[in-house]
Amino acid sequence: MSSSPTAGASSDRRRPRRTATPSKYVDPSDSEDIPFAPDLPPKRARVRSAGGKPGRKPKNAYLKEEAAVAVDAVLRASRLCQSVFNKLVKDETLTKEDKSPVTVADFGAQAIVNALLEKHFPEDPIVGEEDSRDLRADPAMRERVLQLVNSVQKDNESPEMSAEELCRSIDLGNFVGGPTGRFWTLDPIDGTKGFLRGEQYAVCLALVVDGQVELGVIGCPNLPVDWDYPKGDKGAIFVATRGQGAFQRSFTSDKLNKIKTTSSKAARNTVFCESVESGHSSQTEAAQIAELLEMTNESIRMDSQCKYGVVARGNAGIYLRIPVSDTYEEKIWDHAGGSLLVQEAGGIVTDVDGKPLDFSVGRTLKNNKGVVAAGSKLHAEVLSAVQKVLGRKNAIAPSSESAENGDVKQHEIASATEMEVPPVPVTLEVANVVDSNQVNGPSDVNGQAEEMKE
């Protein structure tokens, strides 16, 4: 049976013959029938952090460069101080009007730190303790400082300074502080008397941002790295960055080891730290607090912000600085790095009224009186004891939530006279009686601050 022509034609229409045509890319944007669809955004690069999983942001990025520079600066300054002590500390000291010893190391350490900060962060001002006035008036002293500074510069493959560059670097520390922006604060040698005795002193550097301490680095050249081995390796550097914890490293290794304040709930099982010097002023209130807290363990005696360091790593439970004058104002460089160190190690730092230390009002802590630093489980007990002895009835006590976070942000009013005081060990230091109604610069501060150095 023959096929129908009509059927064949219909089959041809249904299946048209294919013809080879060259392939052609059609851009969708050129077609009126296909709406334009933009390309997908490129995939984000997968970031692998040290010790982390792919895709996560690198850890410890906040102020990483600042921390590295600060550690380098503090280590260089500490090396200079060690060199000064070994070579000429007993013969090359300068006595200012207040009779406090100021060594050549003070000037050299500040010059080295300031020069390094200016190199890496030229827009950042510095609140320093020293100025070059006495150095400019003493050519022999200036030449000795210059030699020591340039020996450190040479060891670190940095350019040597001229005498004028030396003085200019020291005078970079004339900033007055304030509530906005970034600035560094430096104490080139905290604990001058400890330095001269060959005991504890510290090089203290901190970065303040919008009135809050964000980074602290403290170099303690004579502090044992391991408290249980006092004759072992000496030279500890403490590093704390807000929100990242507190760490310790040695002078000879860059390995950072995390540190924590004491977790003891029984304060009588901890020890307290106090100043070596006892003749600065009456310690009547300190003795009363010690009696109220039933302290029985032998105290740790040392100078400088090293006390903050031993509290931060749990060697001591508490450090107090008791005000004995209504007019004396603590200097910010004496507490900036140390207060952050204890907080990041899990402790709490307030003044005797329970208020956070305020670093936003210039070169001093004019809004605060005294300092109470302790482990988070001890602070409330110690603060209530301090307030009871000092008779501060409407002081502010940190809330339990704040205590758990190791930071004082929320407060509640508490009457110290109505609070029970369990026995707690404490770190005691009594502030010297010095009037300081207004401080505008290094020359105004030196006469007061040197007497406070221990």
Side-chain angles (χ1 to χ4, degrees):
M1 180 167 140
S2 64
S3 61
S4 166
T6 304
S10 174
S11 176
D12 290 342
R13 283 195 301 272
R14 287 195 304 270
R15 296 181 181 179
R17 177 181 293 182
R18 291 185 175 182
T19 58
T21 56
S23 62
K24 179 180 179 181
Y25 170 75
V26 178
D27 188 341
S29 63
D30 293 336
S31 172
E32 297 179 356
D33 300 326
I34 304 176
F36 172 66
D39 294 334
L40 294 174
K43 293 183 178 180
R44 293 182 178 180
R46 293 168 69 83
V47 179
R48 183 182 296 273
S49 60
K53 296 181 179 180
R56 292 183 178 178
K57 293 182 179 180
K59 294 182 179 180
N60 301 330
Y62 179 57
L63 299 180
K64 183 177 182 180
E65 181 183 359
E66 286 85 347
V69 172
V71 169
D72 185 19
V74 167
L75 185 57
R76 292 189 191 192
S78 298
R79 294 293 192 195
L80 180 141
C81 293
Q82 290 176 316
S83 177
V84 170
F85 180 82
N86 292 332
K87 294 179 180 179
L88 47 91
V89 64
K90 294 182 179 179
D91 299 325
E92 300 290 339
T93 58
L94 176 67
T95 302
K96 289 187 177 178
E97 293 178 356
D98 64 354
K99 307 303 181 184
S100 295
V102 178
T103 67
V104 62
D106 254 323
F107 296 115
Q110 181 154 318
I112 285 177
V113 173
N114 287 359
L116 203 57
L117 292 178
E118 183 186 35
K119 175 183 176 181
H120 291 275
F121 312 108
E123 301 300 320
D124 289 354
I126 305 168
V127 175
E129 185 176 12
E130 306 297 338
D131 62 35
S132 68
R133 180 176 50 185
D134 293 308
L135 200 60
R136 291 179 185 274
D138 189 337
M141 174 73 70
R142 185 173 64 246
E143 182 60 28
R144 181 56 61 89
V145 174
L146 186 63
Q147 291 176 2
L148 287 164
V149 168
N150 283 334
S151 68
V152 174
Q153 294 289 87
K154 182 178 180 181
D155 290 343
N156 290 277
E157 299 181 351
S158 298
E160 293 187 355
M161 294 185 189
S162 66
E164 181 56 35
E165 288 173 333
L166 172 75
C167 293
R168 193 185 75 81
S169 293
I170 293 172
D171 289 335
L172 288 173
N174 62 2
F175 186 60
V176 297
T180 58
R182 289 171 36 132
F183 67 85
W184 298 84
T185 181
L186 167 68
D187 192 344
I189 296 185
D190 181 25
T192 303
K193 293 183 180 179
F195 171 72
L196 293 174
R197 288 192 303 264
E199 297 175 357
Q200 298 306 327
Y201 67 97
V203 178
C204 308
L205 181 63
L207 176 64
V208 180
V209 181
D210 294 335
Q212 181 170 262
V213 183
E214 295 292 300
L215 170 67
V217 177
I218 302 174
C220 305
N222 292 335
L223 190 68
V225 175
D226 189 334
W227 191 253
D228 293 328
Y229 298 93
K231 295 184 178 180
D233 189 18
K234 292 184 179 180
I237 295 181
F238 297 99
V239 184
T241 305
R242 184 167 295 280
Q244 297 184 20
F247 299 85
Q248 174 188 276
R249 53 159 284 183
S250 71
F251 275 30
T252 56
S253 171
D254 59 2
K255 180 182 179 182
L256 292 172
N257 298 297
K258 194 165 188 177
I259 57 176
K260 298 289 290 183
T261 56
T262 180
S263 60
S264 176
K265 296 181 180 179
R268 59 172 56 91
N269 294 331
T270 70
V271 297
F272 66 88
C273 207
E274 63 182 332
S275 172
V276 173
E277 300 294 327
S278 60
H280 292 282
S281 62
S282 171
Q283 296 190 359
T284 303
E285 291 85 1
Q288 292 173 358
I289 294 170
E291 183 179 0
L292 183 61
L293 297 174
E294 300 181 4
M295 300 186 316
T296 58
N297 295 309
E298 184 178 357
S299 65
I300 299 172
R301 291 178 173 268
M302 63 175 57
D303 300 297
S304 80
Q305 286 189 61
C306 289
K307 291 188 282 290
Y308 278 112
V310 298
V311 171
R313 67 184 187 182
N315 305 134
I318 305 148
Y319 162 50
L320 298 182
R321 191 167 178 88
I322 307 300
V324 293
S325 169
D326 290 335
T327 56
Y328 178 73
E329 297 172 2
E330 299 284 349
K331 311 305 180 294
I332 63 173
W333 53 75
D334 286 331
H335 301 282
S339 62
L340 179 65
L341 181 68
V342 170
Q343 289 174 345
E344 286 298 316
I348 299 175
V349 181
T350 68
D351 67 5
V352 297
D353 293 321
K355 298 186 298 184
L357 303 186
D358 186 354
F359 295 91
S360 70
V361 288
R363 298 172 68 89
T364 68
L365 299 174
K366 62 181 64 178
N367 289 340
N368 300 108
K369 294 299 178 185
V371 176
V372 179
S376 61
K377 297 179 181 179
L378 306 177
H379 187 274
E381 299 172 328
V382 177
L383 181 63
S384 65
V386 171
Q387 293 170 353
K388 185 172 184 178
V389 169
L390 298 183
R392 304 178 88 86
K393 294 184 177 182
N394 292 321
I396 300 174
S399 67
S400 58
E401 180 181 351
S402 299
E404 292 177 359
N405 295 332
D407 197 7
V408 182
K409 294 182 180 178
Q410 300 177 12
H411 304 89
E412 56 190 12
I413 301 299
S415 175
T417 57
E418 297 175 357
M419 299 173 66
E420 280 191 27
V421 184
V424 184
V426 69
T427 301
L428 297 176
E429 181 176 3
V430 178
N432 190 25
V433 182
V434 182
D435 287 345
S436 123
N437 295 321
Q438 186 172 4
V439 179
N440 296 318
S443 60
D444 294 332
V445 171
N446 286 339
Q448 305 163 23
E450 288 304 323
E451 183 134 356
M452 289 297 300
K453 283 191 168 188
E454 301 179 59

